[in-house]
Amino acid sequence: MIDDRILKDHNLTRDEFKLIVKLVGREPNLTELGIFSVMWSEHCGYKSSRVHLKKLPTKGPAVIQGPGENAGVLDIGDGLAVVFKIESHNHPSFIEPYQGAATGVGGILRDIFTMGARPIAVMDSLRFGPPDQPKNRSIMEGVVSGIAGYGNSFGVPTVGGEVYFDAGYAQNPLVNVFCLGLVQKDKIFYAKTDGVGNAVLYVGAKTGRDGIHGATMASAEFGKETEHKRPNVQVGDPFKEKLLLEACLEAMERGLIVGIQDMGAAGLTCSTSEMAAKSGTGIEVDLDLVPQREAGMTPYEIMLSESQERMLMVARPERVADVQAIFAKWDLDAVVIGKVVEGGRLKVRFHGDEVIDLPVDAIVNLCPAYKRPSVKPKPAKAAGKGAPVSLPDNFSKAFLKLLASPTIADKEWIFRQYDHMVQTNTAFLPGADAAVLRLKGSRRALAASLDGNSLHTRLDPKTGGAAAVAEACRNLACVGARPIGVTNCLNFGNPEKPEVMGQFEAVIEGMIEACKAFAIPVTGGNVSFYNDTEGTSINPTPVLGVVGIIEDIDKAVRPGFKAAGDVVVLLGETKDEIGGSEYLKAVHGREDGPAPRLDLAVEKKVQELCLEAAGLGLLQSAHDLSEGGLAVALAESCFHGRKGLGCVVDLEAGLRPDALLFGESQSRIVVSLRPTDLNRLLELARERKVRAAAIGKVYGESIVLSQAGKKLVDVTVREAFKAWKNAIPDLFKIHA
């Protein structure tokens, strides 16, 4: 009899256990219970989110594969498809930062090349506690080193991303990793078994005891003790993964296999049961044949291990020897461990005994889906209610303090550890609004951006969800790319808390509205719940990864002012909004609301104007306004341009000066252009009914910002650059 203690250890409820008994027709043994534990975990089964994720728009003319496979696939023309996805590795990265982050990279790479695509770029979205605290710096160093160590060794460029700092992530850092790959659209592979009698091959690294119950661990809160969970963290070998990539792609190119599945979360359990369930077949496996690197492993350990760099392949019997020859050439195991059978059951033998006999449909498709109780989020109180926000005594000092805020400050300390030029597809260095990647042999290019403001989302979850999509698309517009698809990584607290589920539902509503407004399908993603430690949840953190196309890379718009005398133009409207801003947090120590409002119709018009102007070659530079508002966007445009080149700007009266300079109103882009092109841009803006105003010019060696002729900020580019550039290195005693 399975008692409550064992069920608790497996993160299953008594009602779930009763359902398992009903589906199986008897009580499961301990190994079978372990299989249900991982496959019915939140991480694998999406039991709290599935009913809401189904509402997301997933269809579109370019969609080849939407949610349900290892990664999403979109047709980009010329016989090519782009394969992309984002995943989380949050819990492992808190317990063991280096390996947690490294294996997060390894896992997302396998998701991409499992589809037959060669990975061409990685991006990451990271959240840490305040970096002035040693523990947080240690986690940050480990995570960054893990991403660099795996990606650099594997040979894939890390081309961009985002990093935020907030006290709420001190006990729950977030490590979300995005990967993008290319494939010939007629050579895409899927997780299928195809026909009865086909051979099941285990390929790649040997199985060890690392990572057992990793998926279950990622589906529960943390308490005070985390050290005992260290064995749940996988250990990666990027060099082995590089060999695995080449061997898999060679076998695929030669047409030797019919299906393939990554042994990711839930390891051999996931790959065997999912491939069979998707194909309506059964599968038989002999665990004595599984390559193992540790002695005395039990069936429970072998089936649930999440050891890295492993794949499950299905091939016709006559092709097995050819597959094995390829893997032998790359010094990798390729062992037939079973076969595809009729009957829809997973049957596993060990030392001659049958130790598992389960219906694959029950394992994969019949996990309960919960409509958790939820509480609708309350509107955030207006910034200044009860305690007015005073204007800074010295706007220049406030400006420098904002530039030195870790969330805004230069992230070169992080991305200089990454190889961002390997494969020679990288067109823009990290730091631009979006990554831009060449399509060799074509004038076209790919662009990608990650985005999500967790403070805005906490203050207004629905708007935060929509704004994450909108800003990621805006980042693409700034480089001249049109969005074609989106993947999401949704990081939240405990879904059993009604307020957390309320946040989640509202974010989904916002995402749906934004994706429909931009006509972009959601091709897949990941939900990471239970980001709670000792009962405290993180801010809701939706991270959206959007992929776009630039039709002519010669018309891609680079960041940074280009020439003295160019006109600076603000597209979009600045409102009297300081709620949820980095200014309010960094200068005043407050996180009041409400979050900036978002009008998706206006947002679309602003982006279309930017795209049209870029296509006509009118823009010298373009930069999205986000954290820090207009003042920071102008400063970054100076930093990314010709060294030392400043700007002089005079803004209209009517708004609070701090809202004008530092507010984070949505749907704004600052551009620079030659004076001779100004009238044409303003004419386009009138035609599109977009607010556009010439606010200044590129000039001198200082950043001079005035309102109605009254000077507010006057700082040399050199001084501003120093504050921005050295803020993070100074914390690590490394000076730029």
Side-chain angles (χ1 to χ4, degrees):
M1 176 70 180
I2 303 293
D3 62 29
D4 289 340
R5 179 184 58 80
I6 293 174
L7 289 181
K8 183 178 180 181
D9 288 344
H10 286 76
N11 210 20
L12 291 165
T13 67
R14 177 58 64 177
D15 285 342
E16 287 170 344
F17 178 71
K18 289 178 180 177
L19 177 58
I20 291 167
V21 171
K22 181 179 178 182
L23 293 172
V24 176
R26 56 175 171 78
E27 279 204 359
N29 60 42
L30 189 62
T31 302
E32 292 172 331
L33 188 72
I35 285 174
F36 278 103
S37 172
V38 292
M39 294 301 291
W40 284 20
S41 68
E42 196 69 60
H43 187 76
C44 293
Y46 291 89
K47 53 191 176 185
S48 297
S49 59
R50 208 182 325 150
V51 294
H52 304 291
L53 296 176
K54 286 181 178 179
K55 303 172 188 175
L56 291 168
T58 59
K59 305 294 184 183
V63 177
I64 296 174
Q65 176 62 54
E69 271 287 341
N70 289 287
V73 187
L74 294 176
D75 187 342
I76 59 171
D78 301 324
L80 290 175
V82 63
V83 180
F84 63 105
K85 191 183 181 184
I86 188 169
E87 279 274 5
S88 64
H89 232 221
N90 302 334
H91 287 65
S93 298
F94 177 54
I95 298 168
E96 216 302 311
Y98 183 96
Q99 289 295 347
T103 52
V105 174
I108 197 68
L109 288 169
R110 289 193 302 280
D111 283 338
I112 301 307
F113 70 79
T114 297
M115 304 295 294
R118 182 174 291 276
I120 64 169
V122 164
M123 301 175 72
D124 47 75
S125 175
L126 310 176
R127 300 290 194 280
F128 302 111
D132 56 351
Q133 298 172 17
K135 175 66 172 176
N136 297 330
R137 287 201 301 275
S138 176
I139 291 172
M140 177 180 168
E141 283 187 290
V143 165
V144 172
S145 296
I147 292 169
Y150 207 102
N152 295 355
S153 300
F154 178 86
V156 63
T158 301
V159 295
E162 58 170 11
V163 186
Y164 283 75
F165 299 90
D166 185 82
Y169 301 112
Q171 299 296 315
N172 274 282
L174 302 185
V175 178
N176 295 176
V177 186
F178 166 98
C179 186
L180 180 150
L182 279 177
V183 65
Q184 295 287 334
K185 70 176 184 180
D186 60 348
K187 294 183 179 179
I188 299 166
F189 281 79
Y190 300 94
K192 62 180 183 179
T193 58
D194 205 27
V196 171
N198 284 336
V200 176
L201 290 96
Y202 172 114
V203 302
K206 290 178 169 56
T207 295
R209 289 189 170 94
D210 54 319
I212 294 171
H213 269 301
T216 309
M217 175 192 70
S219 306
E221 290 187 5
F222 277 163
K224 291 183 178 180
E225 297 298 328
T226 59
E227 189 66 27
H228 71 282
K229 293 181 181 287
R230 194 171 296 273
N232 296 141
V233 180
Q234 310 95 321
V235 178
D237 181 347
F239 302 105
K240 184 80 74 174
E241 179 125 328
K242 174 63 173 173
L243 300 177
L244 183 62
L245 163 77
E246 300 299 343
C248 287
L249 292 185
E250 184 175 342
M252 292 168 170
E253 178 65 27
R254 290 177 55 184
L256 300 180
I257 63 172
V258 299
I260 182 171
Q261 171 82 321
D262 167 37
M263 290 191 211
L268 190 57
T269 288
C270 174
S271 53
T272 51
S273 59
E274 286 190 352
M275 289 184 80
K278 287 176 181 177
S279 303
T281 66
I283 197 164
E284 290 182 355
V285 171
D286 186 341
L287 295 185
D288 295 328
L289 302 175
V290 172
Q292 299 163 47
R293 67 169 184 259
E294 298 183 46
M297 291 188 72
T298 66
Y300 187 103
E301 292 171 327
I302 297 169
M303 289 298 293
L304 272 63
S305 168
E306 294 182 10
S307 293
Q308 298 290 286
E309 294 89 38
R310 303 179 301 158
M311 295 280 192
L312 198 71
M313 285 182 166
V314 174
R316 293 183 175 86
E318 66 272 17
R319 297 289 199 175
V320 168
D322 292 331
V323 173
Q324 291 175 324
I326 288 173
F327 279 83
K329 181 181 74 173
W330 293 99
D331 196 26
L332 294 170
D333 286 314
V335 180
V336 176
I337 63 169
K339 62 182 178 180
V340 179
V341 297
E342 294 180 340
R345 300 188 76 83
L346 172 63
K347 295 187 177 184
V348 179
R349 299 184 69 80
F350 181 71
H351 294 350
D353 296 325
E354 188 170 82
V355 292
I356 297 168
D357 182 5
L358 297 172
V360 293
D361 201 40
I363 300 169
V364 177
N365 298 320
L366 299 180
C367 170
Y370 296 126
K371 181 68 168 69
R372 301 273 190 194
S374 64
V375 174
K376 191 172 182 179
K378 296 178 181 178
K381 294 181 180 179
K385 280 276 180 84
V389 178
S390 58
L391 294 176
D393 294 330
N394 186 315
F395 277 90
S396 292
K397 287 184 178 179
F399 173 57
L400 291 172
K401 187 171 185 179
L402 199 52
L403 288 173
S405 166
T407 292
I408 288 175
D410 181 40
K411 306 302 188 301
E412 187 184 13
W413 182 90
I414 295 172
F415 65 69
R416 74 180 178 188
Q417 299 182 49
Y418 306 147
D419 185 341
H420 44 264
M421 295 302 293
V422 65
Q423 299 187 24
T424 66
N425 294 312
T426 309
F428 288 7
L429 297 179
D433 285 277
V436 177
L437 299 155
R438 299 179 186 89
L439 288 171
K440 290 174 180 172
S442 170
R443 296 189 64 83
R444 304 165 79 224
L446 291 170
S449 175
L450 298 183
D451 216 280
N453 187 308
S454 56
L455 177 55
H456 289 180
T457 307
R458 176 173 66 79
L459 296 172
D460 185 342
K462 183 178 179 180
T463 299
V469 177
E471 187 172 345
C473 292
R474 197 184 318 141
N475 288 333
L476 295 184
C478 286
V479 300
R482 186 172 296 279
I484 59 171
V486 60
T487 182
N488 60 80
C489 199
L490 308 178
N491 308 271
F492 287 78
N494 186 340
E496 297 165 47
K497 296 178 179 179
E499 61 272 22
V500 170
M501 276 311 300
Q503 292 171 340
F504 183 80
E505 291 176 16
V507 164
I508 293 291
E509 289 177 21
M511 287 172 54
I512 291 169
E513 290 184 6
C515 289
K516 288 181 176 178
F518 288 98
I520 51 175
V522 177
T523 62
N526 171 241
V527 177
S528 175
F529 275 135
Y530 293 99
N531 289 289
D532 284 62
T533 296
E534 298 179 38
T536 301
S537 298
I538 61 165
N539 282 346
T541 310
V543 176
L544 278 295
V546 179
V547 174
I549 293 284
I550 302 173
E551 292 299 332
D552 185 349
I553 195 169
D554 289 342
K555 293 183 179 179
V557 182
R558 293 180 178 272
F561 294 144
K562 299 300 186 295
D566 282 352
V567 182
V568 178
V569 176
L570 178 63
L571 309 181
E573 180 184 359
T574 301
K575 302 183 180 73
D576 201 354
E577 298 173 317
I578 59 172
S581 65
E582 190 67 18
Y583 156 73
L584 200 62
K585 180 179 177 181
V587 176
H588 294 280
R590 297 170 58 168
E591 297 184 1
D592 306 51
R597 292 159 287 171
L598 175 65
D599 184 323
L600 287 168
V602 170
E603 179 75 49
K604 188 78 185 303
K605 289 179 181 178
V606 170
Q607 292 187 29
E608 289 294 335
L609 173 60
C610 187
L611 286 168
E612 185 175 5
L616 293 170
L618 301 180
L619 305 183
Q620 291 279 72
S621 72
H623 190 20
D624 163 46
L625 272 66
S626 54
E627 289 79 23
L630 177 61
V632 167
L634 291 168
E636 290 174 342
S637 296
C638 292
F639 303 156
H640 290 303
R642 243 177 57 194
K643 191 172 183 180
L645 200 57
C647 63
V648 176
V649 167
D650 193 6
L651 304 164
E652 294 181 0
L655 295 181
R656 286 177 56 117
D658 53 355
L660 195 64
L661 294 180
F662 310 129
E664 296 175 8
S665 294
Q666 298 283 342
S667 314
R668 296 182 299 160
I669 298 171
V670 64
V671 302
S672 65
L673 61 161
R674 301 176 189 88
T676 52
D677 291 327
L678 176 61
N679 287 338
R680 180 66 176 128
L681 178 65
L682 295 179
E683 180 185 345
L684 290 173
R686 285 191 294 271
E687 290 172 359
R688 289 192 172 276
K689 298 182 180 178
V690 172
R691 184 169 296 194
I695 59 173
K697 63 181 179 179
V698 180
Y699 176 81
E701 297 179 352
S702 294
I703 301 168
V704 181
L705 311 178
S706 303
Q707 183 181 24
K710 180 182 178 182
K711 192 179 295 184
L712 299 174
V713 171
D714 188 352
V715 177
T716 65
V717 173
R718 184 175 181 176
E719 184 181 5
F721 181 78
K722 183 179 178 182
W724 176 78
K725 190 74 173 177
N726 287 336
I728 290 177
D730 278 349
L731 291 165
F732 292 88
K733 308 302 180 187
I734 303 169
H735 290 270

